[in-house]
Amino acid sequence: MASRRLLLEHLLRCSRRLSFHLPSSSSVLPHPCVSTFSSAFSSVDLSSAHRSDSAAAGAVSDAFLRPPSSKGQLAEASAASVAAKKFLEEGLRNDWTRDEIQSVYDSPLLDLLFHSAEVHRHAHKFREVQQCTLLSIKTGGCSEDCAYCPQSSRYNTGVKSQKLLSEDVVLDAARKAKEAGSTRFCMGAAWRDTLGRKSNFNQILDYVKQIRGMGMEVCCTLGMLEKQQAEKLKEAGLTAYNHNLDTSREYYPKIITTRSYDERLKTLEFVRDSGISVCSGGIIGLGEEVSDRVGLLHTLATLPEHPESVPINALLAVKGAATFYFFG
């Protein structure tokens, strides 16, 4: 407790003022921990110019250390802490229920931060960060109708269709990426799939081989794959394949109609079965509900093998593409 008081005292000396801006509109859905901050600080008076930093820090510390006594305050063990403890004792699991994931999602933010870091430190070399470089090797002109994507040929976003980049351009970009400290080079192409693109696909296989020869890991995102294509990418030395699910199965038809959810899962199956690492996540800010975010996490968490990487992207709205209405 003494160390926490000293930390808070130091923070107050640095900032001189401590304020929390809570949502004023009922349409905003704050994280559950916001209400905890609100109740914790409701009885703390930091506005008086006559209060010492030490006294103010003590008031803040007491507010957080005070045992929960009223309805709605934090329980002793959140779902996040229970899930983390179970992982540390039993390891990975693939039998998650939606209710379990919802409970973890609803855990207080600071609990999520703490216990996710705890799990991360257990499973990874936590002092290491991998630097990756992504290059669009074929931009624009995609036939898909993904509502968020400026590379779709169905929207007037100002993105012009380009051909596959030449070998010199791609390999030069890979060399520069390695010199800059990247250990993985990722190549993305705006295609629905690679069927009927034998020449381009073979060219990409050659890119993969040559970049692996530089001592780098290689990742690709080329749209849907068939089993034989996944196997050829593996033979070429591909490290990982990115194919996002984007959102929940239920919300998916509102975002994309030219490719089914099951087709995406099938591509992940081919990639996984070929021995290539799976990279699959989604996008937030598409107008989805919290239940859709939980649904996406449930699908990913119950795959036969967890993805090596789960990218969570925040929508960057582009003029000309679809408009989404946020839930909060």
Side-chain angles (χ1 to χ4, degrees), residues 120-139:
H120 179 262
R121 283 169 173 257
H122 179 81
H124 300 280
K125 296 178 180 179
F126 63 89
R127 296 188 186 279
E128 296 183 4
V129 175
Q130 183 176 33
Q131 181 175 312
C132 308
T133 295
L134 171 63
L135 176 69
S136 176
I137 60 173
K138 193 278 171 188
T139 304

Side-chain angles (χ1 to χ4, degrees), residues 7 47 50 60 116 119 129 136 140 146 172 179 206 209 220 222-223 234 242 246 249 277 281 310 313 323 325:
L7 174 60
S47 60
H50 301 292
V60 174
S116 61
V119 169
V129 175
S136 176
C146 307
D172 183 58
E179 291 170 1
D206 186 55
K209 293 175 183 176
C220 282
L222 312 171
K234 174 63 177 178
N242 168 258
D246 290 343
R249 179 183 287 276
S277 293
V310 180
N313 306 288
T323 300
Y325 297 93

Side-chain angles (χ1 to χ4, degrees), residues 190-254:
W191 287 320
R192 180 178 189 273
D193 53 47
T194 53
L195 293 177
R197 308 179 194 277
K198 186 175 181 179
S199 177
N200 283 334
F201 185 70
N202 288 337
Q203 200 168 344
I204 291 172
L205 292 177
D206 186 55
Y207 294 169
V208 172
K209 293 175 183 176
Q210 294 198 57
I211 297 170
R212 282 307 302 267
M214 298 179 190
M216 299 183 76
E217 295 181 346
V218 187
C219 174
C220 282
T221 176
L222 312 171
M224 291 188 294
L225 292 178
E226 294 297 321
K227 180 179 179 181
Q228 297 83 350
Q229 294 174 316
E231 291 172 347
K232 287 182 179 179
L233 285 167
K234 174 63 177 178
E235 290 172 6
L238 190 70
T239 309
Y241 194 85
N242 168 258
H243 198 63
N244 291 334
L245 295 178
D246 290 343
T247 187
S248 69
R249 179 183 287 276
E250 294 78 11
Y251 194 64
Y252 183 86
K254 297 181 180 179

Side-chain angles (χ1 to χ4, degrees), residues 256-269:
I256 304 162
T257 65
T258 52
R259 182 193 320 192
S260 73
Y261 209 71
D262 286 325
E263 284 177 314
R264 287 185 180 265
L265 289 171
K266 199 66 178 176
T267 290
L268 295 185
E269 179 186 330

Side-chain angles (χ1 to χ4, degrees), residues 75-224:
E76 286 188 7
S78 67
S81 66
V82 173
K85 184 175 184 294
K86 187 170 184 179
F87 164 77
L88 295 174
E89 293 176 350
E90 303 176 13
L92 292 172
R93 49 180 292 208
N94 303 73
D95 59 347
W96 290 89
T97 67
R98 282 204 180 205
D99 287 343
E100 286 177 314
I101 294 174
Q102 181 74 60
S103 296
V104 173
Y105 186 98
D106 289 338
S107 294
L109 177 60
L110 296 184
D111 263 24
L112 286 169
L113 288 173
F114 177 81
H115 292 295
S116 61
E118 184 180 29
V119 169
H120 179 262
R121 283 169 173 257
H122 179 81
H124 300 280
K125 296 178 180 179
F126 63 89
R127 296 188 186 279
E128 296 183 4
V129 175
Q130 183 176 33
Q131 181 175 312
C132 308
T133 295
L134 171 63
L135 176 69
S136 176
I137 60 173
K138 193 278 171 188
T139 304
C142 182
S143 62
E144 298 271 38
D145 68 351
C146 307
Y148 53 80
C149 187
Q151 299 200 64
S152 171
S153 61
R154 298 166 185 255
Y155 311 125
N156 184 21
T157 62
V159 176
K160 296 182 179 179
S161 178
Q162 300 176 9
K163 294 181 180 180
L164 184 69
L165 294 181
S166 67
E167 177 180 318
D168 290 344
V169 173
V170 174
L171 297 184
D172 183 58
R175 279 189 288 268
K176 288 179 179 178
K178 183 177 181 180
E179 291 170 1
S182 291
T183 57
R184 178 177 289 191
F185 190 74
C186 307
M187 296 179 284
W191 287 320
R192 180 178 189 273
D193 53 47
T194 53
L195 293 177
R197 308 179 194 277
K198 186 175 181 179
S199 177
N200 283 334
F201 185 70
N202 288 337
Q203 200 168 344
I204 291 172
L205 292 177
D206 186 55
Y207 294 169
V208 172
K209 293 175 183 176
Q210 294 198 57
I211 297 170
R212 282 307 302 267
M214 298 179 190
M216 299 183 76
E217 295 181 346
V218 187
C219 174
C220 282
T221 176
L222 312 171
M224 291 188 294

